[in-house]
């Protein structure tokens, strides 16, 4: 699930892709029990914080697409490694004389 949270002053907006947004005024609701996202009195705060998320470039569909791409890349690499069984060349062989600091 793609999610994002932004905080400004006492306001906190949480957005979960596919779910209704959550807006809380932490100064009056520190336990985050009263969702103010649909409250007309909070529309300006909601719009301002939502605009900041959009301005930052957060797009849940972009995140989801990138996650699918990365998963496919990982699956390809895993299949290759199972087939080829390459030597672990990234393992650094340590020797006792390496365990010192030169002045």
């Amino acid at each position: 699930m793609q999610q994002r949270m932004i905080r400004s002053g006492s306001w906190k907006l949480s957005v979960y892709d596919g779910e209704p947004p959550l807006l809380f005024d932490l100064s009056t609701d520190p336990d985050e029990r009263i969702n103010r996202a649909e409250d007309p009195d909070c529309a300006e705060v909601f719009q301002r914080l939502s605009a900041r998320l959009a301005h930052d470039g957060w797009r849940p569909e972009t995140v989801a697409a990138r996650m699918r791409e990365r998963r496919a890349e990982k699956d390809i690499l895993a299949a290759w490694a199972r087939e080829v069984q390459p030597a672990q060349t990234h393992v650094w062989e340590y020797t006792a004389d390496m365990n010192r600091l030169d002045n």
Side-chain angles (χ1 to χ4, degrees), residues 4 27 37 77 96 98 100:
R4 188 83 188 261
S27 68
L77 289 173
M98 293 175 160
R100 68 177 199 288

Side-chain angles (χ1 to χ4, degrees):
M1 171 180 285
Q2 293 72 48
Q3 61 183 359
R4 188 83 188 261
M5 187 276 294
I6 188 167
R7 187 162 172 196
S8 178
S10 66
W11 292 97
K12 175 182 174 182
L13 174 65
S14 297
V15 180
Y16 299 87
D17 186 36
E19 299 290 328
L22 303 170
L23 178 67
F24 302 105
D25 181 356
L26 300 177
S27 68
T28 60
D29 181 22
D31 295 327
E32 301 179 14
R33 296 177 186 260
I34 304 167
N35 183 6
R36 310 279 306 270
E38 305 263 335
D39 185 339
D41 292 336
C42 302
E44 184 277 325
V45 172
F46 179 76
Q47 290 301 321
R48 179 171 44 86
L49 294 179
S50 296
R52 283 184 56 193
L53 286 181
H55 177 73
D56 288 348
W58 184 70
R59 305 278 186 280
E61 60 279 358
T62 304
V63 174
R66 185 64 182 132
M67 289 171 67
R68 284 190 300 274
E69 290 170 10
R70 296 295 300 237
R71 179 78 230 178
E73 291 168 359
K74 183 179 178 199
D75 290 345
I76 290 168
L77 289 173
W80 174 83
R82 279 192 305 275
E83 181 68 26
V84 175
Q85 296 184 2
Q88 293 195 19
T89 59
H90 65 279
V91 177
W92 189 338
E93 297 292 331
Y94 290 104
T95 59
D97 65 318
M98 293 175 160
N99 193 15
R100 68 177 199 288
L101 295 175
D102 292 327
N103 291 332

